[in-house]
Amino acid sequence: MKNKYSFLLSFLFLATSIGMAQGSSEYTGGMKVKLNEDGSKYFRIISWAQFWAQHSDNESLNSFGNEESDLNFSIRRARVLMYAQISKKFLILTHFGLNSQNAGNLSPTGQSSQSQLFFHDVWGEWSLDTNHAIGGGLHYWNGISRANNQSTLNMLTLDNNRQSWSTIGLSDQFARHMGVYMKGKFGKLQYRVSVNEALNNGLDVNGIPAADDATYNGRAILGGADAGKNFAGYFDYHFLDQESNFLPYKVGSYIGGKKVFNVGAGFFYHPNGSVSLNNAGGFQGEDVAIFSVDAFYDAPMGENGSAITAYAQFQSNDYGTNFTLGQTYETGSMFYTHVGYLLPGQSDKMIKIQPYVSYNNRSIDAIDDNASRLGIGGNLYFSGHHSKLSLEYSNQKYGNLDAVGTVTVQAMIYL
């Protein structure tokens, strides 16, 4: 453990001694192809990859009883996103890739289901006017919180707070629902609302309901008529600079490029999403209801090139009576926060560093106890978020189980 902290402190000291900058001066419009002279007709391609080297003190054994390696390499994300407008009235977006590719799910010929690319997003959108639009497909216009709409291109922390992506694999495909949405703004108030299909074969599809323990497989057991649809929404008021809502992906850190202060609230509601047993031993539906309030602040500090990024979220989670799954989803409540400080530096041709700290605390009804996660890390920006190196030490505690410490190094490029 001592060596892990020394590694982290050495990384931060090295980064601060190199020099800092204010974003990327090399990356402008990216890979955008104009189809007419004024650029109103175009298509754009975005590609990114994140490579992890991860050390964990969570000892595990293979099927023969031998110890697994505590240092592992993986591709956290490899994605391609494309969108196009031939008319300002219409937009189509496709987003495909893979996640968490590692030695455990690679296959000899790359043909296993875990080795395959899949669509994250596929949707079409129609503008009603300059401020409002409707769309449909496999989409990311989520409810609940800013963190549940987080972009993976520009996070402050190494990765998003896992419990903030509150429905992954339970009612959706990797944080994307199949449904219809409406998004827009009224002055400084932005909104996104949606009606969606619930996943039929979710992570808890084989769960066995009990009288005092619900399982999240309402559609599979009760059918689509009673448990097939869910509803979501998120509303945030922008006090300072106005953020774009052209795409749904919320920025994690502007690295001093904007002065933003937003307060938001959101929900996710799935009638009969979970199932438990009634007194007669029959199935009964339980509504899944998740509500959240959050605040986001990101702004430069003075004229020396420094900046602060801060986020706080409180969330109430009701997945059904005493629901818990994989030490990740639980009925209870959650508080999450992170704060990062971009160290001073004037030159836009030099490296910059942004140390941060994050903290998650969750109450869990099923075990009548809490879980927590502390993260300490930093980002070394070579060209803003487009080329960066990140390091994080995390310590996770779940109920009365032993705490698990993990050190992760991430190298990321996106174009």
Side-chain angles (χ1 to χ4, degrees):
M1 187 67 67
K2 197 171 180 182
N3 291 336
K4 295 175 187 174
Y5 281 112
S6 299
F7 182 33
L8 178 61
L9 293 174
S10 298
F11 172 85
L12 296 178
F13 175 78
L14 172 63
T16 56
S17 67
I18 295 175
M20 301 354 127
Q22 283 189 318
S24 171
S25 61
E26 297 179 352
Y27 190 96
T28 53
M31 294 184 287
K32 184 174 181 180
V33 179
K34 296 180 180 179
L35 302 179
N36 61 355
E37 290 187 5
D38 64 6
S40 60
K41 299 181 180 181
Y42 67 91
F43 67 87
R44 184 179 179 188
I45 301 173
I46 302 173
S47 178
W48 67 104
Q50 298 165 339
F51 177 75
W52 278 15
Q54 192 169 56
H55 179 279
S56 175
D57 58 18
N58 185 22
E59 296 181 359
S60 59
L61 303 177
N62 65 15
S63 58
F64 296 97
N66 296 314
E67 186 176 350
E68 292 285 7
S69 172
D70 55 8
L71 174 63
N72 296 285
F73 303 121
S74 65
I75 295 176
R76 178 63 183 92
R77 295 179 181 90
R79 309 274 191 85
V80 175
L81 185 150
M82 302 180 292
Y83 61 90
Q85 282 191 299
I86 302 301
S87 164
K88 290 184 178 181
K89 290 282 187 181
F90 314 108
L91 175 143
I92 185 169
L93 182 145
T94 58
H95 172 196
F96 59 90
L98 52 77
N99 306 279
S100 302
Q101 195 76 53
N102 55 56
N105 56 32
L106 288 170
S107 65
T109 59
Q111 295 180 356
S112 77
S113 60
Q114 292 179 309
S115 300
Q116 297 301 297
L117 301 176
F118 69 94
F119 279 111
H120 289 70
D121 301 291
V122 182
W123 78 74
E125 183 177 290
W126 295 261
S127 295
L128 301 176
D129 56 33
T130 56
N131 291 325
H132 307 277
I134 59 173
L138 184 64
H139 68 88
Y140 194 66
W141 294 95
N142 295 322
I144 306 179
S145 69
R146 182 186 186 92
N148 200 42
N149 291 277
Q150 170 71 63
S151 168
T152 61
L153 294 176
N154 44 45
M155 291 182 282
L156 168 71
T157 53
L158 181 82
D159 214 320
N160 196 27
N161 178 51
R162 180 62 184 85
Q163 284 71 36
S164 293
W165 273 324
S166 309
T167 60
I168 287 183
L170 295 175
S171 69
D172 62 37
Q173 175 175 282
F174 225 86
R176 280 81 177 173
H177 278 102
M178 184 72 73
V180 294
Y181 66 86
M182 183 172 182
K183 59 99 171 181
K185 60 182 178 179
F186 298 96
K188 294 184 177 182
L189 177 67
Q190 294 190 7
Y191 71 91
R192 55 186 72 191
V193 291
S194 61
V195 180
N196 307 296
E197 294 281 359
L199 191 69
N200 190 65
N201 56 339
L203 290 175
D204 204 25
V205 67
N206 294 317
I208 301 174
D212 297 317
D213 298 291
T215 56
Y216 199 159
N217 48 10
R219 178 161 190 162
I221 293 176
L222 302 176
D226 287 336
K229 299 294 187 294
N230 57 68
F231 310 88
Y234 181 66
F235 311 84
D236 54 338
Y237 190 85
H238 297 222
F239 289 92
L240 302 176
D241 290 352
Q242 303 298 290
E243 294 187 278
S244 171
N245 69 341
F246 179 71
L247 296 179
Y249 314 106
K250 291 289 190 179
V251 171
S253 174
Y254 284 101
I255 323 177
K258 273 183 175 287
K259 189 173 184 180
V260 175
F261 176 50
N262 300 344
V263 174
F267 70 93
F268 173 83
Y269 180 61
H270 185 179
N272 297 312
S274 288
V275 179
S276 60
L277 298 183
N278 59 27
N279 293 333
F283 295 126
Q284 62 182 4
E286 295 194 28
D287 296 346
V288 174
I290 305 173
F291 303 95
S292 177
V293 293
D294 59 7
F296 175 69
Y297 182 69
D298 193 296
M301 300 179 67
E303 303 297 327
N304 63 359
S306 63
I308 187 170
T309 300
Y311 178 70
Q313 175 192 13
F314 174 79
Q315 184 167 298
S316 172
N317 302 312
D318 186 355
Y319 293 99
T321 304
N322 290 326
F323 179 82
T324 180
L325 181 66
Q327 299 184 14
T328 302
Y329 308 99
E330 306 100 2
T331 291
S333 62
M334 176 187 74
F335 173 75
Y336 171 74
T337 186
H338 64 233
V339 60
Y341 176 65
L342 184 70
L343 295 175
Q346 295 295 335
S347 173
D348 66 355
K349 299 297 184 184
M350 301 177 72
I351 294 169
K352 56 186 175 181
I353 182 70
Q354 189 177 37
Y356 65 81
V357 60
S358 65
Y359 180 69
N360 171 324
N361 187 272
R362 315 188 317 268
S363 69
I364 304 167
D365 290 0
I367 62 173
D368 193 25
D369 206 340
N370 288 359
S372 63
R373 183 186 187 277
L374 174 68
I376 302 172
N379 297 309
L380 182 64
Y381 297 102
F382 300 102
S383 184
H385 288 289
H386 301 282
S387 176
K388 70 179 181 181
L389 186 66
S390 303
L391 172 68
E392 182 179 283
Y393 168 75
S394 66
N395 184 276
Q396 300 187 72
K397 183 77 168 64
Y398 190 91
N400 60 6
L401 300 177
D402 292 339
V404 176
T406 303
V407 174
T408 305
V409 178
Q410 174 182 271
M412 173 177 168
I413 291 178
Y414 105 73
L415 301 175

